[in-house]
């Protein structure tokens, strides 16, 4: 886990190329996945990821300690960009509940039961609250440790413990309603 | 915060540490179905394939970011501290700063130029990304294309551009769909519609070695294989009717119903083989094969597309050309008169045209092509494979045409039935390696001495992205000893299954002067499941000098990066100028959970004051063969420098001291792919139960988890001790493999050891069971070799090599029995090129 401390942030603010590159390397995948699961499109997620880090660079001089809030600050940039994206594209991120979900190649291999896929998951996430959705994406889909998720969402770890459990319960209900199987074999 | 929240978090922590979900579920309170259900869902979420940013985009983003930083610093923009002038860069000699700062940019441009020059099909290849020998990158995904892991056909997912396929994965295309796989050297495989194939193997090694094995179940694939850079390279395509082995060529494979296969070569040479025969096909030739039948002689090929105008019993006519249809001809789409169809077939020795396949055509245009031998070129009527063609001023003629040459003809059928040649071109020679080579002129007087700094780095990796900044120096002092056209390459030495990508940026320089140092970044993307693996899991990556114009014999310098999954300690190893990016697990104490989560084998998981979760996981370390290095026998200590960049290896030294075991012995296991953590566990079990450590490693290699191994050993230790004085002969059922004409004779085989004989007398040997299961052999067969005196480690090696090279295992045991070491056997097998026959399943 990247040890974000005041000195690190200060050096980034001073234009330390290595520090900034390290921050980029550390967060780019989780930022990308977060954006992908929000907007549902690889290219859009790529574009927004670029914008997140350019804005990071642009505004990092204005970032103020505590340094532990840096992940929160970065993900807030990502959330803002998602909101802007939906506003500009006028596309709804609230999809209608789909009664039937089949694999794209239904004529190739018709599955008897509906299985949990990335696309199904993305649609299900849209039915969670914003906080629940964020914790599922960061905790389970980006693989971030709980301490880092807590910093990213500006909450305590205890709060994240409760939130993640409630989020998974809510997600389970959605998947159950959709008759989506997720038990691994 | 509730106890349920704590319990769920403890389970998540255990999942992150690698505990299997069923193991966790079984240890929850019986009445806690709620938590059990949530744990299953959490595991399912974690196990889904998640998207990653495309490599090219990620790299471009980083460059833009870095360029922005540099501009900000230079212009004093917000976000920089221009007045302090502090841009932390490695200290460089003051001279030639401008030139040196240009080099990485030039080098980057050269890298991009090289990649583009190697692109054969345009943007798809660039998008496919840089070298990753352990995977093939998908591009130009069109329509319905799906990917699954072999053996998990219930979990297909939609494929996307940029996705990387690794060994064992399966890909299929729906109607009207296609996709292209690009391998690290630029070779490509394009799947047409209705194709289903498995990437049995895709990896590579030092010296641009590419090894690909494809198992094509159905459909059509086009392959463009770059001429191999390494002698151990291979590109094999298995079909139900035969195996294709290629050596830098362009060819097509079609597999129809009942396994009938057709192979056609556009350029280069391929070898098609099955159990009973093998045939070389050259450019313009084709062969149709049926399962279990001897391969026919190669023939020239033809292609027709147009209206089906006649369908007699065995003679059809398409686009004005008649051909023979046989019972073996693959006919799809139930063609009727008037349909536009595509016909592919061969020209028999008697000149007759025989269709191998007839299918609905994708387009409506007419096409007539065939290959043959140019027999005469007189006047306006030329003879090609006994067919007369009108040649006039409208005919495009290739250069170098001469009687006897093999040619490809594109023609049209005139109103009177005469064939008019639209083009006659010589069949292509195998393509040259499209990768541009550096400036060939070498300076014989220059004697550069290149060295990496650091030479060895060890990092504890908690995250899936690892970066290291290193330097390459020309330590020569004479200004005339410059290094020219330096190209770096990388290879994953161990733990390749955990690595998605290795990137060296920049990776080449036009010039490194004497006394000059250049920097580069080494970036490693670890596989998505890295976070779920046990601490102690290891990956070793090596960066080396692939070429340098002034030193044709090559440079030995290398940088070795050892990555260890260890989320409990801070970064260790050789200090570099890499800044304070520490991988520190800052588990915040909560008062109810310990910082280290360990799930004990017997504890019930309840939220108590201290929840300990020790994963006795089934996460195993597979013994991966890396043929580019000197392979070693399981029981024979390997040279310690065979797989490490340092001698001695500090962790190996420490472990050897701790265990009281020779350093060479520890490193021999390490070089075979066992991490130091596993080595320590193995020796511990060996001493606890009095079992040879080789047997422990053999069980581990066979896929058993440490818990299972302990369980087996505990059961064994309770059994009465076997006799050791008089080794009984193997029973009638304990015979070696059937049909083994090369079973080693007693004189060539070491006499059964007391240990082996005792095990032969016991009812069940767990290592033997594990190996039998791993290789799909009978337990009796495995034990036959064991009772003949081969250790389980040797048996594991022999069957592994037999699979790798498709070579009878009996002959491999014979070589071993004759005194050859595994390195020599490996060399002998790779020189044969395989394909000498199959082991019976």
């Amino acid at each position: 886990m990247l040890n974000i401390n005041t000195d690190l942030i200060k050096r980034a603010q001073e234009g330390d190329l290595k520090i900034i590159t390290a921050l980029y390397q550390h967060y780019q995948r989780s930022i990308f996945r977060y954006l992908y699961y929000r907007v549902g499109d690889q290219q859009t997620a790529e574009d927004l990821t670029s914008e997140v880090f350019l804005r990071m660079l642009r505004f990092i001089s204005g970032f103020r300690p505590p340094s532990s809030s840096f992940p929160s600050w970065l993900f807030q940039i990502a959330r803002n960009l998602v909101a802007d994206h939906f506003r500009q594209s006028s596309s709804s991120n609230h999809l209608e509940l789909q009664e039937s979900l089949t694999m794209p190649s239904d004529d190739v291999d018709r599955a008897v039961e509906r299985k949990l896929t990335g696309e199904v998951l993305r649609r299900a996430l849209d039915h969670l609250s914003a906080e629940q959705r964020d914790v599922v994406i960061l905790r389970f889909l980006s693989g971030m440790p709980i301490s880092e998720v807590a910093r990213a969402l500006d909450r305590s770890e205890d709060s994240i413990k409760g939130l993640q459990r409630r989020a998974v319960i809510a997600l389970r209900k959605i998947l159950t309603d959709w008759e989506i199987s997720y038990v691994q074999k | 915060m509730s106890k349920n929240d704590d319990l769920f978090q403890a389970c998540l922590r255990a999942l992150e540490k690698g505990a299997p979900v069923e193991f966790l579920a079984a240890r929850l309170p019986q009445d806690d179905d709620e938590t059990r259900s949530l744990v299953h869902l959490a595991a399912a979420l974690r196990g889904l394939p998640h998207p990653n940013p495309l490599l090219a985009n990620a790299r471009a983003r980083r460059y833009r970011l870095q360029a922005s930083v540099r501009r900000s610093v230079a212009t004093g923009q917000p976000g920089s501290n221009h007045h302090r002038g502090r841009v932390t860069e490695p200290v460089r000699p003051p001279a030639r700063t401008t030139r040196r700062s240009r080099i990485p940019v030039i080098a980057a441009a050269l890298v991009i130029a090289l990649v583009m020059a190697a692109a054969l099909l345009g943007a798809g290849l660039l998008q496919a990304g840089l070298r990753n020998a352990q995977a093939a990158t998908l591009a130009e995904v069109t329509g319905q294309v799906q990917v699954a892991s072999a053996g998990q056909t219930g979990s297909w997912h939609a494929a996307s551009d940029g996705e990387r396929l690794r060994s064992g994965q399966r890909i299929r295309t729906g109607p009207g769909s296609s996709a292209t796989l690009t391998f690290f050297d630029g070779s490509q495989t394009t799947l047409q519609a209705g194709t289903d194939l498995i990437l049995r193997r895709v990896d590579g090694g030092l010296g641009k070695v590419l090894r690909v094995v494809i198992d094509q179940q159905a459909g059509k694939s086009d392959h463009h294989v770059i001429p191999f850079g390494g002698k151990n390279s291979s590109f094999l395509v298995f079909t139900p009717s035969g195996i294709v082995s290629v050596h830098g060529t362009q060819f097509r494979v079609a597999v129809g119903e009942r396994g009938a296969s057709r192979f056609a070569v556009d350029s280069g040479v391929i070898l098609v083989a099955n159990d009973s025969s093998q045939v070389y096909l050259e450019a313009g030739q084709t062969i149709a094969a049926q399962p279990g039948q001897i391969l026919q002689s190669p023939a020239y090929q033809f292609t027709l597309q147009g209206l089906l105008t006649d369908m007699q019993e065995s003679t059809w006519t398409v686009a004005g050309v008649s051909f023979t249809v046989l019972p073996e001809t693959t006919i799809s789409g139930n063609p009727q008169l008037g349909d536009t169809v595509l016909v592919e077939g061969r020209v028999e020795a008697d000149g007759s045209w025989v269709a191998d396949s007839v299918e609905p055509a994708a387009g409506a245009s007419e096409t007539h092509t065939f290959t043959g031998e140019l027999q005469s070129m007189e006047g306006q009527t030329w003879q090609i494979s006994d067919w007369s063609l009108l040649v006039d001023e409208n005919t495009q003629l290739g250069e170098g045409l001469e009687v006897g040459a093999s040619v490809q003809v594109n023609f049209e059928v005139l109103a009177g039935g005469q064939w008019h040649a639209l083009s006659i071109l010589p069949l292509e020679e195998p393509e040259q390696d499209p990768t541009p080579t550096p400036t060939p002129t070498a300076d014989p007087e220059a004697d550069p001495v290149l060295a990496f700094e650091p030479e060895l780095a060890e990092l504890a990796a908690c995250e899936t992205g690892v970066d290291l900044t290193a330097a390459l120096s020309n330590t020569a002092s004479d200004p005339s000893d410059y290094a020219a056209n330096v190209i770096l390459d990388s290879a994953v030495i161990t733990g390749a299954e955990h690595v998605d990508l290795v990137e060296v940026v920049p990776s080449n320089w036009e010039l490194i002067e004497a006394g000059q140092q250049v920097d580069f970044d080494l970036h490693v993307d670890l596989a998505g499941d890295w976070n779920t693996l046990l601490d102690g899991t290891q990956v070793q990556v090596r960066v080396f000098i692939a070429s340098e114009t002034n030193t044709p014999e090559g440079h030995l310098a290398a940088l070795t990066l050892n990555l260890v999954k260890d989320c409990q300690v801070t970064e260790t190893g050789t200090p570099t100028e890499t800044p304070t990016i520490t991988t520190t697990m800052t588990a915040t104490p909560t008062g109810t959970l310990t910082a280290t989560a360990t799930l004990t084998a017997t504890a019930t998981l309840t939220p108590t004051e201290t929840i300990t979760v020790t994963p006795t996981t089934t996460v195993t370390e597979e013994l991966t063969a890396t043929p580019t290095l000197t392979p070693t026998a399981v029981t024979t200590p390997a040279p310690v420098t065979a797989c490490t960049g340092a001698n001695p290896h500090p962790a190996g030294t420490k472990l050897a001291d701790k265990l009281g075991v020779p350093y060479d012995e520890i490193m021999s296991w390490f070089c075979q792919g066992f991490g130091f953590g596993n080595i320590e566990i193995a020796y511990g079990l060996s001493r606890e139960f009095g079992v040879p450590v080789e047997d422990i490693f053999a069980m581990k290699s066979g896929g058993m988890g440490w818990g299972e191994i302990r369980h087996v050993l505990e059961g064994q230790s309770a059994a009465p001790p076997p006799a050791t004085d008089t080794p009984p002969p193997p029973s009638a059922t304990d015979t070696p493999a059937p049909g083994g004409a090369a079973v080693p004779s007693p004189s060539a085989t070491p006499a059964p050891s007391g240990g082996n004989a005792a095990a032969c007398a016991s009812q069940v040997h767990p290592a033997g069971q594990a190996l039998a299961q791993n290789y799909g052999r009978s337990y009796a067969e495995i034990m036959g070799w064991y009772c003949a005196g081969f250790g389980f480690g040797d048996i594991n090696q022999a069957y592994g090599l037999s699979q790798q090279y498709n070579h009878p295992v009996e002959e491999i045991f014979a070589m071993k029995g004759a005194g050859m070491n595994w390195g020599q056997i490996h060399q002998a097998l790779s020189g044969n090129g395989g394909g000498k026959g199959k082991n019976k399943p």
Side-chain angles (χ1 to χ4, degrees), chain B residues 741-817:
Chain B
V743 174
S745 64
S747 61
T749 307
S753 65
N756 283 11
C760 287
S762 67
Q763 291 186 343
V764 170
H765 199 295
Q769 279 188 317
L771 287 173
Q773 185 178 3
N774 192 39
Y775 290 107
R777 299 292 180 161
S778 69
Y779 174 76
E781 180 181 328
I782 298 294
M783 292 308 294
W785 295 115
Y786 185 76
C787 294
F790 294 98
F792 287 118
D794 286 340
I795 297 173
N796 184 38
Q797 277 278 5
Y799 276 95
L801 289 174
S802 174
Q803 277 190 352
Q804 181 180 348
Y805 291 103
N806 196 28
H807 199 90
V809 72
E810 298 84 359
E811 293 184 15
I812 296 176
F813 277 116
M815 285 191 265
K816 184 66 179 159

Side-chain angles (χ1 to χ4, degrees), chain B residues 155-238:
Chain B
S155 58
W156 292 97
H157 68 269
S160 56
D161 278 353
E163 183 173 349
R164 283 189 284 270
L165 268 64
R166 305 171 70 85
S167 299
Q169 287 195 279
R170 184 173 172 182
I171 179 171
R172 65 184 182 186
T173 55
S177 307
S178 63
T180 297
L181 289 168
T182 302
F183 302 94
F184 88 104
D185 69 338
S187 297
Q188 291 189 322
T189 291
T190 298
L191 288 74
Q192 306 297 341
T195 300
D196 187 338
L197 60 83
I198 299 172
L199 265 183
R200 290 289 180 202
R201 180 178 188 180
V202 51
D203 65 30
L206 295 170
K208 296 184 184 180
V209 172
L210 173 70
R211 287 180 293 270
V212 173
V213 178
I214 292 172
D215 192 343
Q216 184 164 336
Q217 314 284 318
K220 291 186 177 181
S221 59
D222 297 336
H223 307 268
H224 193 135
V225 181
I226 302 297
F228 294 142
K231 69 173 185 178
N232 293 325
S233 297
S234 63
F235 196 108
L236 302 172
V237 180
F238 283 74

Side-chain angles (χ1 to χ4, degrees), chain A residues 1 13 24-25 46 105 139, chain B residues 54 58 62 79 146 582 586:
Chain A
M1 186 170 59
Q13 290 172 324
Y24 166 76
Q25 294 284 24
E46 297 267 16
S105 60
R139 192 77 180 91
Chain B
L54 295 177
R62 191 174 66 191
Q146 292 180 302
T582 57
T586 57

Side-chain angles (χ1 to χ4, degrees), chain B residues 636-640 647 652 656 661-671:
Chain B
T636 305
V640 297
N647 184 9
V661 169
Y663 170 78
D664 284 359
E665 186 175 331
I666 296 295
M667 293 312 295
S668 75
W669 297 117
F670 179 77
C671 288

Side-chain angles (χ1 to χ4, degrees), chain B residues 129-141:
Chain B
L130 295 178
R131 294 171 181 154
N132 182 358
Q134 317 303 326
T137 305
L138 266 176
E140 301 174 352
V141 173

